[in-house]
Amino acid sequence: MLPDLESLACVDALARTLRFHAAAKSRFLSPAAFSKRVQQVEDHVGARLFQRTTRTVALTEAGAALLPQIRRVLADAALLSSSPRAAPVDVTIGTRHELGMSWLVPARHEIARTLPHVTVHLRFGSADDLEHALLGLRIDAAVTSRAPSTTKLVAVPIAREDYALVASKKLVRTTPFRSAKDAARHTLLDADDALPLFAYLAQSGVSLTFQRVVTLGTIDALRYAVLAGEGVAVLPSYFVKRDVGAGRLVRVLPRVRLGHDSFRLVMRGDSAQRPVIEKIASVLSSMPLR
């Protein structure tokens, strides 16, 4: 006999969480009953879908190969629902913390209004973490400004991201920054080597040499340090719009046109959720960054 849909749903839940107790709870089953259902699917296909230890759970190669097919079956089964309304759909979207809090958390309300049958779950992480989670089938999509590094992933542009070189008003009052040569008197604050926001300034063609460079990991940390007068930084324009408007930060070398990027909604090319994810992309593209 073929595995029943509930057993397939249990495999899907475990692949998303990689935690037995959490996955069992999400399916309203005891850990023992949940484990039995996963085992039934493994027995049917004749392969281990998960590598288990006392502390960790990970998809095996066979599990990663089979999971897109399982999700396609579950999606098709949902479409056969006798209800005249669209079948409920859960979509897990990953993004970095700052963008998630300022944009995606509020966007959930608009998505719910436009797509009432869709429930959006969020997961935060770095660009590398999100891509690994996508390839590992733990999330369905990711909002990121980094282009996919593999053809297994596809991207839908959803918003343009502009940048500005900013500093605190107090800093530029005590240490002016009116021309490129003034950079030698200032500290450049940046995220990290994997996410050099200074690259968007370098795209302008203006050559700047700073006194030193300090990396702080996240754009939230950069904003905090810039507001404290610790240095200058290239930051997303939407992220510092309020600070600039309130006079807490000022644009440095405002006539220099920095490079820009695009936020993308990235998903697996073989995702069974692709039609829904593309509709979510359409909703997000209609909302301004903030």
Side-chain angles (χ1 to χ4, degrees):
M1 293 180 62
L2 294 175
D4 60 273
L5 290 175
E6 179 57 34
S7 295
L8 296 179
C10 288
V11 172
D12 176 44
L14 184 56
R16 292 180 186 278
T17 63
L18 297 181
R19 296 168 55 203
F20 260 95
H21 284 279
K25 185 177 180 180
S26 74
R27 301 308 304 172
F28 303 99
L29 293 171
S30 68
F34 180 87
S35 181
K36 184 177 180 180
R37 285 188 174 274
V38 173
Q39 184 67 54
Q40 287 174 348
V41 179
E42 291 182 322
D43 290 344
H44 177 80
V45 301
R48 294 290 295 274
L49 303 181
F50 298 93
Q51 185 67 43
R52 309 169 179 84
T53 70
T54 55
R55 294 186 178 182
T56 63
V57 178
L59 271 171
T60 63
E61 185 175 343
L66 184 63
L67 192 56
Q69 299 176 51
I70 289 177
R71 288 179 175 170
R72 196 169 294 114
V73 169
L74 293 172
D76 289 343
L79 291 175
L80 294 175
S81 171
S82 59
S83 170
R85 297 178 299 174
V89 177
D90 288 278
V91 177
T92 301
I93 300 176
T95 191
R96 69 174 189 240
H97 181 268
E98 298 93 345
L99 185 66
M101 293 303 296
S102 67
W103 196 44
L104 287 184
V105 169
R108 289 169 61 250
H109 301 293
E110 182 62 21
I111 293 170
R113 187 187 70 80
T114 307
L115 304 169
H117 64 296
V118 176
T119 299
V120 171
H121 306 270
L122 298 179
R123 182 175 297 184
F124 296 152
S126 68
D128 284 338
D129 293 336
L130 299 177
E131 185 164 279
H132 290 154
L134 270 174
L135 294 172
L137 301 161
R138 297 190 298 279
I139 61 176
D140 300 301
V143 175
T144 176
S145 58
R146 192 170 80 175
S149 65
T150 170
T151 56
K152 291 182 179 180
L153 302 177
V154 296
V156 179
I158 52 176
R160 171 169 164 148
E161 187 177 27
D162 292 300
Y163 292 85
L165 179 64
V166 295
S168 71
K169 184 178 291 187
K170 181 179 179 180
L171 176 64
V172 295
R173 187 166 55 241
T174 57
T175 309
F177 198 149
R178 300 190 182 97
S179 66
K181 65 180 182 180
D182 291 330
R185 305 168 61 195
H186 287 273
T187 295
L188 174 68
L189 305 171
D190 211 334
D192 55 51
D193 294 338
L195 184 66
L197 297 180
F198 179 70
Y200 296 105
L201 178 57
Q203 290 175 19
S204 69
V206 176
S207 179
L208 299 179
T209 301
F210 289 89
Q211 185 179 68
R212 62 174 181 159
V213 178
V214 176
T215 56
L216 297 175
T218 70
I219 64 171
D220 210 15
L222 291 181
R223 173 181 173 272
Y224 178 88
V226 174
L227 285 169
E230 296 180 27
V232 302
V234 174
L235 285 169
S237 296
Y238 78 87
F239 194 68
V240 294
K241 182 178 179 179
R242 292 182 180 178
D243 294 318
V244 173
R248 292 186 291 268
L249 296 179
V250 296
R251 293 177 180 267
V252 178
L253 307 180
R255 295 185 179 180
V256 175
R257 296 179 64 86
L258 278 66
H260 67 272
D261 209 334
S262 294
F263 278 117
R264 307 163 175 87
L265 192 58
V266 182
M267 73 199 92
R268 288 178 63 103
D270 61 1
S271 174
Q273 304 275 39
R274 185 166 179 172
V276 174
I277 294 171
E278 289 177 342
K279 289 180 180 178
I280 292 173
S282 180
V283 175
L284 292 175
S285 65
S286 69
M287 303 185 65
L289 290 170
R290 58 181 184 177

